Amino acid sequence: MENGVALNPSQAMAVPLTFSGRVKAMPGRAKASAAIGLAALAAVVYALAINTSHGEFRVLYGNLSDKDGGAVVAQLSQMNVPYRVAPGGAILVPSGQVPDLRLKMATAGLPKGSVSGYELMDTARFGQTQFQERLTFQRGLEGELTRSITSLAAVQNARVHLALPNQNGFFREQQKPSASVLLSLHPGRSLDRAQVAGIVHLVSSSVPELDPKAVSVLDQSGALLTGSADAVRPGGLDAGQLQYLNQIETGYAKRIFELLEPIVGHDNLRATVAADVDFTQSEATSEEFKPNQGAEASISIRSQQTTEQSGSSGAMPSGVPGAASNQPPVAATAPLVGASQPLQAAPLSGGGANGRREAVTNYEVDKTVRVTRNATGTVKRLSAAVVVNNRSVVDPKGKTTQVALNDAELEKLTSLVRESIGYKQDRGDSVKVINAPFRIETIPNGPEVPWWKAPDNVDLLRSFAMPGALVLVALLVFFGLIRPGLKAVTAPPVLLPGGQLNAVADDATSLPMQAALPAPRMVGQLESAKQLARQNPAAVAGILRGWVGTDQPASR
């Protein structure tokens, strides 16, 4: 004990100058602590890197069937999105991509949902009632029909509802079954009458005693696709005529938008076109006969028939008795018509002669048969109405104001609309273009949510919670386990002031200043030793002689 500071030579040791030597000189407990700290730090860094690259995973879809789960996984792989499959059929994706992926999956029609068919009969429980058996059979039959209908190319999804009444022993009181089918078609697809009739026939043939007239088929818009062909539709038109009318009006409106939007700007135009289409059908048949007249007209003989007959007999007295009857007859003359040959005179012989000749000639007569059918779906009249928003004008100060269009600009727009729809004044077409400011509806905000409860901030905090915790663990590991070992290894050797001990102890033996106290645990003792050396150099020199093994007593 010297001036309150105890210096034990066994507690002091020489500190090596090299790094490897200092590591080897460290206690075993310090080495183990440093090794554990380095391993823990490496694990934390790896977990931080994995969490940063993938982020927090949340459930995209849960309780999916194997078929739907495989379709969703295939779509995620095609989109290069990392995913995890949890037990129970749940699919996990990065939390920041969940809303976007759900919208994309819905656009692709996933998941479709599993439809159970007759496999429901395989899981029948022992002791179930007759009502449960009938209900299970009905559900299985509906599922099988749904699978068959959704196999059509135009059908995206379908639901089948069967009404199967209970059968009783009275034939007259038995009710007939009925069915309803709800179809969800792919965008841009439609079913014609033959396909709808095929669906009706499929359902009616699958249910005993189901009349095809008792099957109703609807689409996703609620339009009834079945019914009589003569059923009256809105406006007296059938489904095909309504579709044709809609196509005409939509086509004209699209022309107006494509022509005027580059001029007035996007979302500054509203246009609608109403078409009056004539769907009446008429057919006329006419026959015209034109005789061959004139010298230049060609004459075609269709048939010709000639009959000749002649005979002779003895001279018989004939005529009125008297001189006139005894006179010989003169040659007969008669007008000839056409190409007939002249009649020859009867012979003047004493015997009598009989003759007859007939000629019949039939000529072709021109005949024209004309059948006229009027075209259906002819546009009788078009009416177009267009509303244009005010023009935006930016002043030199950068302020935007709305300015109404003048008459010249409205006239130009009207002329463009007329040309785009094929305006015909004699047909009675009308085009009206007006300018009016568009009213922008502002949606009132709901109750203000504190910033710590906002969904975006909550998701942000959740995304940074795991990285922050990993960083905190890394700091604790570094400062608690690794930093003490690093300080012990990298601390410089502590030299006593004075350069040489003989300058203090007035000794002829010169000692090199390579001995130092271990750091950093002996820093406090080192400061006390320095203070003792300044106050009592002789005592310190004696202590050092004892360390180096000299037997000479230290002078005081």
Side-chain angles (χ1 to χ4, degrees), residues 9-344:
S10 61
Q11 296 179 352
M13 60 181 298
V15 179
L17 297 178
T18 61
F19 179 81
S20 59
R22 293 187 179 188
V23 172
K24 292 179 180 180
M26 289 177 60
R29 184 177 180 181
K31 292 180 181 180
S33 177
I36 295 173
L38 289 175
L41 183 61
V44 170
V45 171
Y46 177 76
L48 184 61
I50 295 297
N51 185 78
T52 305
S53 60
H54 296 291
E56 182 184 1
F57 280 77
R58 292 179 58 187
V59 177
L60 179 64
Y61 295 110
N63 299 325
L64 292 179
S65 62
D66 294 340
K67 183 178 180 180
D68 288 342
V72 172
V73 167
Q75 187 71 16
L76 292 176
S77 300
Q78 186 177 1
M79 298 168 60
N80 296 326
V81 176
Y83 64 90
R84 298 176 185 172
V85 180
I91 298 178
L92 308 178
V93 296
S95 59
Q97 302 182 18
V98 170
D100 188 22
L101 289 177
R102 286 180 179 175
L103 293 178
K104 292 181 179 180
M105 291 297 173
T107 304
L110 296 175
K112 296 182 179 180
S114 59
V115 179
S116 300
Y118 284 136
E119 60 269 14
L120 292 175
M121 307 295 294
D122 300 335
T123 59
R125 300 189 304 271
F126 179 76
Q128 63 181 357
T129 63
Q130 185 179 4
F131 173 76
Q132 292 176 343
E133 291 181 354
R134 291 183 60 257
L135 184 59
T136 304
F137 172 75
Q138 180 176 344
R139 290 178 57 194
L141 182 57
E142 292 176 352
E144 294 294 334
L145 290 175
T146 300
R147 290 176 178 176
S148 301
I149 294 174
T150 51
S151 62
L152 299 178
V155 179
Q156 183 178 9
N157 196 4
R159 294 194 65 183
V160 179
H161 303 277
L162 298 178
L164 304 178
N166 295 327
Q167 302 295 332
N168 51 31
F170 300 96
F171 181 77
R172 294 181 179 178
E173 296 180 1
Q174 291 181 359
Q175 299 179 358
K176 298 296 182 181
S178 60
S180 299
V181 181
L182 178 61
L183 302 178
S184 296
L185 305 180
H186 288 284
R189 301 287 186 89
S190 61
L191 296 176
D192 54 14
R193 294 182 180 178
Q195 292 174 323
V196 175
I199 294 176
V200 172
H201 183 72
L202 173 65
V203 176
S204 61
S205 301
S206 302
V207 180
E209 299 183 3
L210 178 59
D211 189 1
K213 296 182 180 179
V215 180
S216 302
V217 181
L218 289 80
D219 60 3
Q220 66 268 27
S221 62
L224 183 64
L225 302 181
T226 57
S228 173
D230 299 331
V232 178
R233 301 296 179 94
L237 305 178
D238 58 8
Q241 293 174 350
L242 286 175
Q243 184 179 4
Y244 177 73
L245 180 61
N246 187 24
Q247 290 178 354
I248 291 178
E249 295 177 347
T250 304
Y252 283 124
K254 184 178 180 181
R255 292 182 185 179
I256 296 175
F257 273 99
E258 292 178 351
L259 191 62
L260 297 187
E261 270 192 346
I263 301 176
V264 300
H266 179 68
D267 206 16
N268 288 326
L269 177 69
R270 297 292 184 272
T272 180
V273 178
D276 186 6
V277 182
D278 185 11
F279 291 101
T280 58
Q281 300 180 359
S282 61
E283 181 177 344
T285 304
S286 62
E287 294 185 2
E288 297 180 359
F289 296 90
K290 183 179 180 182
N292 295 320
Q293 298 177 356
E296 298 180 356
S298 60
I299 300 176
S300 301
I301 299 176
R302 182 174 59 182
S303 63
Q304 187 175 9
Q305 181 180 2
T306 303
T307 304
E308 294 184 0
Q309 183 179 0
S310 61
S312 60
S313 62
M316 295 293 296
S318 62
V320 180
S325 60
N326 294 328
Q327 297 289 333
V330 299
T333 59
L336 299 178
V337 179
S340 62
Q341 299 179 357
L343 298 176
Q344 298 180 358

Side-chain angles (χ1 to χ4, degrees), residues 309-530:
Q309 183 179 0
S310 61
S312 60
S313 62
M316 295 293 296
S318 62
V320 180
S325 60
N326 294 328
Q327 297 289 333
V330 299
T333 59
L336 299 178
V337 179
S340 62
Q341 299 179 357
L343 298 176
Q344 298 180 358
L348 298 178
S349 60
N354 296 325
R356 189 182 66 177
R357 182 178 184 276
E358 295 179 357
V360 178
T361 304
N362 296 322
Y363 298 94
E364 292 287 352
V365 180
D366 293 342
K367 178 182 179 181
T368 303
V369 179
R370 183 177 291 105
V371 179
T372 305
R373 295 185 180 91
N374 292 335
T376 60
T378 305
V379 179
K380 297 173 59 178
R381 185 174 181 271
L382 289 176
S383 299
V386 181
V387 181
V388 183
N389 192 14
N390 289 340
R391 185 176 66 253
S392 299
V393 178
V394 180
D395 56 7
K397 297 182 180 180
K399 184 179 179 180
T400 303
T401 57
Q402 300 291 331
V403 179
L405 303 179
N406 52 36
D407 296 339
E409 293 174 339
L410 289 177
E411 184 62 28
K412 291 180 181 179
L413 297 179
T414 304
S415 301
L416 291 176
V417 174
R418 289 176 178 175
E419 294 296 330
S420 64
I421 65 173
Y423 175 82
K424 294 182 180 179
Q425 186 175 2
D426 55 352
R427 193 172 56 184
D429 297 349
S430 64
V431 175
K432 187 65 175 179
V433 179
I434 64 173
N435 172 227
F438 287 3
R439 182 178 179 181
I440 301 176
E441 296 288 343
T442 57
I443 301 177
N445 296 328
E448 186 177 356
V449 181
W451 67 270
W452 64 86
K453 293 184 179 181
D456 296 339
N457 296 334
V458 171
D459 293 340
L460 185 62
L461 292 176
R462 287 179 178 177
S463 61
F464 282 103
M466 183 60 69
L470 293 176
V471 171
L472 180 60
V473 171
L475 293 176
L476 293 177
V477 170
F478 178 78
F479 287 102
L481 299 177
I482 301 176
R483 187 170 180 268
L486 291 177
K487 290 180 65 177
V489 173
T490 60
V494 181
L495 302 178
L496 294 176
Q500 291 182 350
L501 291 178
N502 55 1
V504 178
D506 194 16
D507 194 356
T509 305
S510 178
L511 298 177
M513 297 301 300
Q514 298 295 334
L517 297 176
R521 292 180 299 174
M522 304 298 294
V523 173
Q525 298 178 4
L526 181 61
E527 294 296 332
S528 299
K530 290 180 180 180

